Amino acid sequence: MEISSNGKPIYFNLGFNPLLNLIEKNNYSQVFVLVDEHTSELCLPILRDGLGDFQNYSIIETQAGEQHKTIDFCIGIWNTLLDFNADRKSLLINLGGGVVTDMGGFIAATFKRGIDFVNIPTTLLSQVDASVGGKTGIDLDENKNMIGTFSIPEAVFIESEFLETLPKREILSGFAEIIKHGLIADDVLFDQILNSNLESIHPDLIIKSVTIKNKIVEHDPKEKGLRKILNFGHTIGHAIETYSLQNDPQPLNHGEAIVVGMLCEAYISTVVNKLTPEELNIIVDFLLKIYPKYSLEENAFDQILLTLAYDKKNENHQLMFSLLNRIGDCDFNINVSNELIIESLNFYQDLK
Amino acid sequence: MEISSNGKPIYFNLGFNPLLNLIEKNNYSQVFVLVDEHTSELCLPILRDGLGDFQNYSIIETQAGEQHKTIDFCIGIWNTLLDFNADRKSLLINLGGGVVTDMGGFIAATFKRGIDFVNIPTTLLSQVDASVGGKTGIDLDENKNMIGTFSIPEAVFIESEFLETLPKREILSGFAEIIKHGLIADDVLFDQILNSNLESIHPDLIIKSVTIKNKIVEHDPKEKGLRKILNFGHTIGHAIETYSLQNDPQPLNHGEAIVVGMLCEAYISTVVNKLTPEELNIIVDFLLKIYPKYSLEENAFDQILLTLAYDKKNENHQLMFSLLNRIGDCDFNINVSNELIIESLNFYQDLK
Ligand SMILES: NC(=O)c1ccc[n+]([C@@H]2O[C@H](COP(=O)([O-])OP(=O)(O)OC[C@H]3O[C@@H](n4cnc5c(N)ncnc54)[C@H](O)[C@@H]3O)[C@@H](O)[C@H]2O)c1
Ligand SMILES: NC(=O)c1ccc[n+]([C@@H]2O[C@H](COP(=O)([O-])OP(=O)(O)OC[C@H]3O[C@@H](n4cnc5c(N)ncnc54)[C@H](O)[C@@H]3O)[C@@H](O)[C@H]2O)c1
Ligand SMILES: [Zn+2]
Ligand SMILES: [Zn+2]
């Protein structure tokens, strides 16, 4: 299966022959593969097998984890490319989760004013979310994704085989974005999700999820309108994520925080938009079945509102919600009062 | 006078009303002006006057000089933008020479994945060269312009008034690029250059020079072919610049090095291309009249060849010269032997 995103191919479970063809066609002077210490061990062997006789590439290894998605690591990797005498006809293959594909994309987009890159996302999250839309980026201290570009990889390879070594908690984190894609755009996908087997994510869920995101971002590449529906669950979810990072010894990961956010924003959708209480119930039951309930401490509400206020200041003094109309349809640019935000947090709090 | 470059306007000596219109039209959330310590003192007052009643912008000051065109300064400025809560609807105005416009362009192109920017080049070099083509960039240690993007400013403002405070040596450095533009593309411009007054560069020379570069880069935005003629004088010139930086207490500036390079490459053009000895004489006489003669030490030749070999390794093992056909016409992708390069250096050496 293959789809086209911004004019470039995304391949699903087709192996790496198209990558060999791309390398041959473009006659790259050198090929580099960026990995982190986990994908070096767990994913590189799969890529190596897939490339058969072509083994003429250099490996660059970075450290795993969001805390290393920084300009310092970029500088190190830019310098490594220079040490290798990489020129403008070089190719960078990013093999890893969203940290590797985001940072590697940024490195490629800026090295000698841009070299080609290919993404091979190896986590469920990066396969269903970071794989389309052309966002590259790094963090600046605690500010996530502050520096980056919109740059399209020459190709994306999504291979289910990589997921076999992915810890359950990482699977669930990516699964949250699949759920989001069903909720905002596709009720049939959402039905499939309700009946899916988490032990082995069906490739169909991934393909549909990517296809949905792709349609949305192609419609609105620079996030001026429609693309905002991808933020469903992320307004409150992001504030919860920040809160958890600052307060919990074992903070929520992105997907877990977004699940809390989706529940709050689904609640708000029943109050100010057309989501029915029955639909809300279906969402609540399903999410609580597969995700642990997070307990919000006393002081959490204030901190969450503070984070939302800060985000608002950074967004031209407008903090707009994307809210469900029904399962499979979403509106954007909806104003929500602080009272209703607090009400939704209480709603989440009281869930059993 | 106004021309269009990559769909965006370049204004010549029209003042800053078009900037006011742009700011109003785009309804920017905040406006920032990046300056260095010299342009803060010498150029900001002119801009301030030109903006009349609109004084609602924040100044960000960086340090003057190529040695500060670094990622460290970018990090500082990105953080300053964050401190100001700059969002994606912010505008960055780069007011300065090529260091400020190159680095400011890169900062804007990558801050929150790209905010609008405007360039107001205040040196002759940045007016006639850095003002078109969309190259942004910074240096990585001693590697010049290694990191950057191709990004087009929303507008460029070229105002002769800024040149009034520019030191003579900086004027001459920029003038070398005007000469290059005449040599590679316009014999009429070259005649005007021969008869020009260096005390006050005629705006017509600047406009013609920018128009020539603009035509070339629009024809070949990503430097695949024709754009290479802009490298006339720069292959050897760049090696001379590097040599001088490493060996001289008072190194040549870019223009001065390029003048040596143009003389060597004009010589090579008479040997392997169709430039006549008479034309070569005209070029030699004129350049030696206005630029100091540089004396190449004994050991210089070897170092220069080493730099050229290094550049070659970085350019996919091909080091191609752009050579004159005649005054006003240039070919590119011409192979030149080491022997001939040495011959050209000896030719320069022997000039009186
Ligand atoms: N560009 C976009 O549009 C976009 C969209 C969503 C998220 N993101 C970014 O993605 C990042 C999060 O992505 P992520 O969750 O993939 O993070 P990640 O890259 O940190 O991967 C999570 C962990 O899984 C490990 N891992 C990767 N592949 C594995 C495999 N096959 N088997 C075992 N372990 C493996 C990694 O080494 C890491 O320790 C964030 O930085 C986020 O900002 C970007
Ligand atoms: N982007 C491009 O296409 C392109 C093309 C050519 C050169 N460049 C870059 O441009 C840089 C060189 O440009 P530059 O020579 O303008 O360097 P610069 O910015 O360092 O300016 C030279 C000096 O003049 C000072 N100055 C600037 N305007 C002045 C004014 N009006 N009056 C008095 N002093 C003033 C500056 O503070 C500095 O000290 C290099 O980094 C080079 O890589 C870029
Ligand atoms: Zn998300
Ligand atoms: Zn130059």
Side-chain angles (χ1 to χ4, degrees), chain A residues 110 112-113 136 146 148 314, chain B residues 87 110 112-113 136 146 148:
Chain A
T110 53
K112 300 200 174 178
R113 300 201 184 90
T136 78
M146 277 305 111
N314 277 317
Chain B
D87 65 15
T110 53
K112 300 201 175 177
R113 301 200 183 92
T136 77
M146 276 306 111

Side-chain angles (χ1 to χ4, degrees), chain B residues 125 129 177 180 234 254 258:
Chain B
L125 183 73
D129 197 352
E177 305 285 357
K180 181 193 74 180
H234 281 64
H254 178 70
I258 274 9

Side-chain angles (χ1 to χ4, degrees), chain A residues 206-239:
Chain A
I206 298 175
I207 295 175
K208 282 204 176 136
S209 191
V210 170
T211 307
I212 287 170
K213 178 161 181 189
N214 188 40
K215 250 192 217 145
I216 294 168
V217 302
E218 288 209 324
H219 207 273
D220 176 19
K222 290 291 175 82
E223 216 156 15
K224 310 249 177 236
L226 182 69
R227 189 163 176 164
K228 293 177 187 167
I229 66 171
L230 291 168
N231 289 333
F232 173 68
H234 281 63
T235 311
I236 293 178
H238 171 246

Side-chain angles (χ1 to χ4, degrees), chain A residues 122-312:
Chain A
T122 60
T123 62
L124 185 57
L125 183 74
S126 58
Q127 291 187 346
V128 299
D129 196 352
S131 59
V132 280
K135 286 188 179 176
T136 78
I138 54 166
D139 306 333
L140 210 56
D141 299 321
E142 71 284 7
N143 297 291
K144 285 200 65 180
N145 299 320
M146 277 305 111
I147 305 304
T149 60
F150 282 98
S151 307
I152 308 297
E154 294 306 303
V156 176
F157 293 84
I158 296 182
E159 294 285 318
S160 294
E161 189 179 352
F162 291 119
L163 303 181
E164 286 166 19
T165 54
L166 198 64
K168 179 79 185 286
R169 198 174 163 200
E170 297 291 343
I171 293 280
L172 278 172
S173 185
F175 196 63
E177 305 286 356
I178 299 183
I179 295 169
K180 182 191 75 180
H181 289 140
L183 285 175
I184 62 174
D186 190 340
D187 54 344
V188 179
L189 171 60
F190 190 73
D191 275 342
Q192 273 181 281
I193 290 167
L194 290 180
N195 300 308
S196 63
N197 169 9
L198 283 173
E199 298 311 314
S200 143
I201 303 293
H202 197 288
D204 204 39
L205 295 181
I206 298 175
I207 295 175
K208 282 204 176 136
S209 191
V210 170
T211 307
I212 287 170
K213 178 161 181 189
N214 188 40
K215 250 192 217 145
I216 294 168
V217 302
E218 288 209 324
H219 207 273
D220 176 19
K222 290 291 175 82
E223 216 156 15
K224 310 249 177 236
L226 182 69
R227 189 163 176 164
K228 293 177 187 167
I229 66 171
L230 291 168
N231 289 333
F232 173 68
H234 281 63
T235 311
I236 293 178
H238 171 246
I240 303 259
E241 192 176 6
T242 305
Y243 172 81
S244 175
L245 268 175
Q246 290 168 348
N247 292 279
D248 300 330
Q250 301 279 336
L252 295 181
N253 67 25
H254 179 69
E256 289 160 351
I258 273 10
V259 164
V260 181
M262 288 197 287
L263 286 169
C264 292
E265 296 180 21
Y267 173 81
I268 296 174
S269 300
T270 58
V271 178
V272 302
N273 216 351
K274 287 176 256 160
L275 191 74
T276 64
E278 293 71 34
E279 288 174 304
L280 177 62
N281 269 341
I282 296 174
I283 297 170
V284 168
D285 287 349
F286 181 64
L287 289 180
L288 288 189
K289 197 175 75 193
I290 59 175
Y291 291 93
K293 174 84 193 305
Y294 180 61
S295 57
L296 291 161
E297 304 289 320
E298 276 282 299
N299 65 345
F301 286 27
D302 285 351
Q303 280 195 51
I304 289 167
L305 288 177
L306 267 180
T307 304
L308 286 169
Y310 178 86
D311 289 350
K312 185 167 173 171

Side-chain angles (χ1 to χ4, degrees), chain B residues 152-190:
Chain B
I152 309 296
E154 293 307 302
V156 176
F157 293 84
I158 296 182
E159 294 285 318
S160 295
E161 189 179 354
F162 290 119
L163 303 180
E164 287 166 19
T165 54
L166 199 64
K168 178 80 186 284
R169 200 174 161 200
E170 297 290 344
I171 292 279
L172 278 171
S173 185
F175 196 62
E177 305 285 357
I178 299 184
I179 296 169
K180 181 193 74 180
H181 289 139
L183 285 174
I184 62 173
D186 189 340
D187 54 344
V188 179
L189 171 60
F190 190 73

